Amino acid sequence: MLKRKTELFKLLGFSVSVDVSWGIILFLVVWSLAKGAFPAYYPNLSMQTYWIMGVIGALGLFLSIIIHEFSHSLVARKYGMDIKGITLFVFGGVAEMKDEPQTPKIEFLMAIAGPIASLLLSLLFGALYQAAATFGLSVPTVAILGYLSAINLLLAIFNMIPAFPTDGGRVLRSILWWIKGDIRWATRTASRISVLFAIFIIFIGFMNMIQGNVIGGIWWILIGSFLFSAANSSYQSLLIKQSFAGKSVKEYMNPNPVTVPTHTTLQEFVDLYLYRHHYKMFPVTEGGRIIGLITFNALKAVPQEKWPTMQVAQIMQKAAKENTLPAAMEVHEAMLAMNESGISRMLVESHGKIVGIITLKDLLEFFTLKIELEA
């Protein structure tokens, strides 16, 4: 998730993007408002009106989530934290932080900013709802304002659930961190509490399904599963950052990888390199200098009858920003880049020259070994 996103706009120096999964929740919100909530509370309107109300209500939710995430981002910026951007996805939105907060106070203030923003929006829309009803504005206007007041209140309450890494989970971690002064212990404790909470939510989902509320049950299970996965991955992410703190790509790269000359035929590449070493990416050399790479997927795209005559140079990828990492880049940033791109073996560049390769597998093996020794 958050890998297939499209940038919508930039505001106050932050890029706002939408993940393809957001389309799921957008459709469900519009459909549930137009076919369920609005007809139930405000009957006798035309179906066209309900659908228009549903679209406007969904756009209001979209705007509310952006304001919620902007509040996190602005507080983070105030304290010198780097925010990559804001992304909307199936379970709401997320401000993508490059680094963890430096103190419990910063984390608390940053985490609490979102729910406070949602609560203020709820009060604002609630006041507008009361004014619209008092002055006799149209039913659709009153209905939409009432919905936006209620949904922002729900956003504030839901985000204060103590399930890390939601806002409530981060508030919990900040308090635990402040009590003991150990962010690793605080993260582990908050994650364990979150896992128990996620299991409880999944249990509620199954109970709903047993009682006949299948759609509601599925949503509870999905939310619980997401929180379960996020809680575990958040603790692992912190361990990775601490394990590789201050370490650069250069320290973990392979300066002498298995390379393939440009004049090698594809058949020779398969027989002498692919079957022998079992890698899915090999650096390509010309005159003893690495100039690019060849991948398993590029080979698969070529019909086998052409393998004996085609050379590696004809299908290789030249070294570029998409497949190359700077030698001075910090390791945890390199791992994020590999995870986001889906490329687990990348070239390493220093002063305009390819000096080796780095693989996600090698980094994870080192991380696993270090954690086992420390345990």
Side-chain angles (χ1 to χ4, degrees), residues 30-170:
V30 173
W31 180 81
S32 62
L33 290 176
K35 300 291 287 184
F38 287 145
Y41 288 98
Y42 302 92
N44 304 320
L45 299 177
S46 69
M47 185 53 62
Q48 181 182 8
T49 300
Y50 287 132
W51 280 107
I52 293 173
M53 291 166 64
V55 170
I56 295 174
L59 291 176
L61 173 60
F62 170 89
L63 178 62
S64 297
I65 292 175
I66 289 177
I67 293 173
H68 177 107
E69 297 303 330
F70 258 93
S71 65
H72 291 308
S73 302
L74 290 171
V75 173
R77 175 191 282 174
K78 178 182 178 181
Y79 289 99
M81 294 181 61
D82 190 5
I83 301 292
K84 291 170 61 179
I86 295 168
T87 301
L88 302 176
F89 71 115
V90 67
F91 291 109
V94 61
E96 300 177 64
M97 298 186 298
K98 286 189 176 181
D99 300 301
E100 292 288 341
Q102 297 302 307
T103 66
K105 175 186 174 181
I106 294 174
E107 170 141 77
F108 178 85
L109 293 175
M110 188 186 70
I112 203 69
I116 289 175
S118 293
L119 182 59
L120 291 175
L121 284 173
S122 176
L123 294 173
L124 172 62
F125 284 119
L128 293 174
Y129 165 79
Q130 292 293 339
T134 300
F135 290 103
L137 297 186
S138 65
V139 171
T141 301
V142 173
I144 292 169
L145 290 172
Y147 162 73
L148 291 177
S149 176
I151 197 65
N152 274 284
L153 179 60
L154 287 175
L155 279 174
I157 295 172
F158 176 79
N159 277 279
M160 283 307 295
I161 292 173
F164 194 77
T166 65
D167 299 339
R170 287 191 172 276

Side-chain angles (χ1 to χ4, degrees), residues 112-364:
I112 203 69
I116 289 175
S118 293
L119 182 59
L120 291 175
L121 284 173
S122 176
L123 294 173
L124 172 62
F125 284 119
L128 293 174
Y129 165 79
Q130 292 293 339
T134 300
F135 290 103
L137 297 186
S138 65
V139 171
T141 301
V142 173
I144 292 169
L145 290 172
Y147 162 73
L148 291 177
S149 176
I151 197 65
N152 274 284
L153 179 60
L154 287 175
L155 279 174
I157 295 172
F158 176 79
N159 277 279
M160 283 307 295
I161 292 173
F164 194 77
T166 65
D167 299 339
R170 287 191 172 276
V171 168
L172 172 63
R173 185 176 76 164
S174 71
I175 295 171
L176 295 172
W177 185 5
W178 175 73
I179 290 173
K180 196 164 182 177
D182 185 343
I183 188 174
R184 180 183 289 197
W185 174 83
T187 305
R188 182 174 64 248
T189 304
S191 296
R192 288 175 176 174
I193 293 172
S194 302
V195 166
L196 294 175
F197 197 88
I199 293 172
F200 176 69
I201 290 177
I202 293 172
F203 173 76
I204 290 177
F206 279 114
M207 291 303 295
N208 271 267
M209 292 183 68
I210 291 172
Q211 294 171 5
N213 183 12
V214 177
I215 301 299
I218 290 174
W219 270 109
W220 279 109
I221 292 171
L222 287 174
I223 292 171
S225 300
F226 167 75
L227 292 175
F228 184 92
S229 174
N232 284 310
S233 63
S234 296
Y235 180 55
Q236 291 172 355
S237 177
L238 176 68
L239 291 179
I240 288 173
K241 286 182 180 180
Q242 290 186 336
S243 297
F244 293 108
K247 303 294 184 180
S248 67
V249 166
K250 185 177 181 179
E251 298 177 62
Y252 294 91
M253 73 177 187
N254 179 359
N256 299 299
V258 178
T259 60
V260 182
T262 53
H263 57 76
T264 306
T265 66
L266 297 187
Q267 189 61 59
E268 290 172 336
F269 168 64
V270 172
D271 296 335
L272 301 179
Y273 295 91
L274 198 61
Y275 287 161
R276 181 175 298 178
H277 300 287
H278 316 139
Y279 303 142
K280 290 194 173 183
M281 184 278 272
F282 291 82
V284 177
T285 58
E286 186 173 69
R289 185 170 62 91
I290 296 175
I291 61 170
L293 55 89
I294 181 171
T295 65
F296 176 75
N297 288 335
L299 172 71
K300 282 180 62 179
V302 179
Q304 289 193 24
E305 58 268 21
K306 294 184 178 181
W307 290 1
T309 56
M310 286 188 67
Q311 294 185 343
V312 164
Q314 296 174 263
I315 66 168
M316 77 172 196
Q317 300 174 22
K318 291 186 177 180
K321 183 179 179 181
E322 293 73 24
N323 54 36
T324 307
L325 297 174
M329 176 182 278
E330 290 195 13
V331 172
H332 77 271
E333 291 184 5
M335 295 179 74
L336 286 174
M338 286 190 277
N339 184 53
E340 289 179 359
S341 66
I343 303 174
S344 60
R345 294 171 62 84
M346 299 186 77
L347 301 175
V348 179
E349 172 268 336
S350 179
H351 303 293
K353 180 182 177 182
I354 303 300
V355 293
I357 68 169
I358 189 165
T359 70
L360 187 59
K361 178 183 176 182
D362 290 344
L363 292 174
L364 291 176

